[in-house]
Amino acid sequence: MFLLSFLIVVCRLIPSKCFVSLPMALLVKNQRHLSGQREAIRECRIEDLRALVQVAYAEFEAEYSTVLQKQGLWFMLWIGFFLRLKNERIDDHRIFIDVDTRTGDITGMIEISKQPKGSISNAVPLPYLIKFYRGDLQPYLSNLLVAKRYRKRGLGRKLVAKSISIVRDEWQIDLLGLHYDTSNTYLRRFYSKLGFIPDPNGDTTTEDGINLTYAMKKFAPSSSFSSLPVPAANFPAKSAPLLLKTSPNIPILSSTTTTTFPSSLLSLFILFKQIPPPSST
């Protein structure tokens, strides 16, 4: 109970904009590809947790002024991404990273998940059943991030294209939604070029004083299925397990296909004891 209470308190300190597609100053302002580029997009694994957190923390840290806020951000990034990577429903949540094959550094990341239409993904991800009973679920894009030294290479477009291919070919759904800062003209142009159209009903959400516009892209269906789209109200069959490789630095309690609530809490407690301070970045 103490751990859950602590999570709730910290969640209130850390705006949920950390887990939507807001911070896009990092996105590709020049889409030319550099010669000699050696990046590869792959599924994020549990052993990538530390590097993933460092990329996200480097992007969001400047938005917080106090030491307490920065520590809270660091903690929530560890917990949030840990829970995402432990999510074994590959039909509900996926994280993809772009990796520099020369150095092994994570150059960028993107998330796709199923959320109730128009909803923002939470800092601490909600269980599938809770989302399912809150409304029709639709694919949602968030946390499109590119590390500073790897910008202006078109990685943002590549990561979005990867997300669309997963939603279309594996989830067999023909649409993808996201939120962006309504006042940011660059984001509006960026997503417009990628085919994302703002909600015709003018659906906007205010989060931490920022007005967010909901936009959606519909795309051609995959040749592997015919009905469009798969109704969100249909509860999907149990998916194949997401293969996670263990690491000596990351606690993995079980390699089974299901994770019970008590074991998840125990995993969180172990992780909480092992999270390094932000200065380690």
Side-chain angles (χ1 to χ4, degrees):
M1 291 300 296
F2 171 78
L3 179 58
L4 291 177
S5 300
F6 183 76
L7 285 174
I8 293 173
V9 172
V10 176
C11 281
R12 293 183 178 273
L13 292 175
I14 304 302
S16 59
K17 64 184 179 182
C18 295
F19 293 88
V20 298
S21 51
L22 287 179
M24 292 303 180
L26 56 100
L27 272 181
V28 191
K29 295 183 180 180
N30 185 340
Q31 299 298 331
R32 70 178 183 275
H33 293 265
L34 301 183
S35 60
Q37 176 178 325
R38 300 179 187 175
E39 285 88 24
I41 297 177
R42 64 167 173 82
E43 188 110 32
C44 189
R45 300 186 289 261
I46 194 69
E47 60 264 34
D48 301 315
L49 178 58
R50 178 186 291 270
L52 189 69
V53 170
Q54 290 174 338
V55 170
Y57 184 79
E59 169 59 29
F60 295 120
E61 179 189 11
E63 301 181 20
Y64 303 96
S65 56
T66 69
V67 174
L68 179 61
Q69 287 179 328
K70 291 178 183 292
Q71 290 178 340
L73 169 65
W74 179 253
F75 175 81
M76 288 308 302
L77 289 173
W78 273 88
I79 295 300
F81 285 127
F82 173 76
L83 292 175
R84 284 161 166 77
L85 293 175
K86 285 286 286 182
N87 184 352
E88 293 169 346
R89 292 196 64 104
I90 60 175
D91 60 345
D92 174 48
H93 199 108
R94 307 283 289 275
I95 299 178
F96 292 92
I97 55 176
D98 191 276
V99 179
D100 187 330
T101 57
R102 295 164 295 184
T103 65
D105 294 337
I106 294 180
T107 64
M109 65 163 291
I110 196 167
E111 289 188 53
I112 50 174
S113 60
K114 289 181 181 176
Q115 304 291 339
K117 183 180 182 300
S119 297
I120 297 174
S121 59
N122 296 78
V124 176
L126 295 176
Y128 183 87
L129 281 176
I130 294 179
K131 295 190 299 181
F132 178 78
Y133 287 109
R134 286 179 60 183
D136 291 343
L137 299 182
Q138 294 183 351
Y140 183 79
L141 182 152
S142 61
N143 275 338
L144 175 54
L145 305 175
V146 177
K148 288 184 179 180
R149 60 179 293 193
Y150 293 97
R151 296 172 189 174
K152 299 184 180 180
R153 302 189 185 191
L155 300 184
R157 288 178 178 271
K158 288 170 55 181
L159 289 165
V160 172
K162 177 65 175 180
S163 299
I164 290 174
S165 69
I166 294 297
V167 171
R168 179 190 60 221
D169 300 334
E170 297 189 22
W171 290 3
Q172 298 192 352
I173 304 177
D174 66 343
L175 56 86
L176 180 62
L178 55 82
H179 281 95
Y180 63 83
D181 185 348
T182 304
S183 64
N184 192 317
T185 56
Y186 169 71
L187 291 184
R188 184 171 65 250
R189 290 196 300 267
F190 175 83
Y191 286 120
S192 177
K193 289 179 180 179
L194 294 179
F196 288 88
I197 301 174
D199 191 318
N201 298 321
D203 185 14
T204 59
T205 301
T206 301
E207 187 73 21
D208 302 314
I210 300 177
N211 291 325
L212 306 177
T213 294
Y214 181 75
M216 182 184 298
K217 176 183 176 67
K218 291 184 69 70
F219 33 83
S222 168
S223 59
S224 62
F225 70 102
S226 56
S227 59
L228 295 177
V230 175
N234 287 351
F235 195 89
K238 183 175 177 59
S239 62
L242 177 60
L243 299 179
L244 302 178
K245 295 182 179 179
T246 60
S247 167
N249 298 321
I250 302 299
I252 301 295
L253 298 183
S254 173
S255 59
T256 58
T257 58
T258 59
T259 302
T260 64
F261 182 69
S263 68
S264 296
L265 287 180
L266 181 57
S267 297
L268 284 175
F269 178 75
I270 296 174
L271 180 68
F272 174 74
K273 300 284 287 185
Q274 296 183 356
I275 293 177
S279 59
S280 65
T281 60

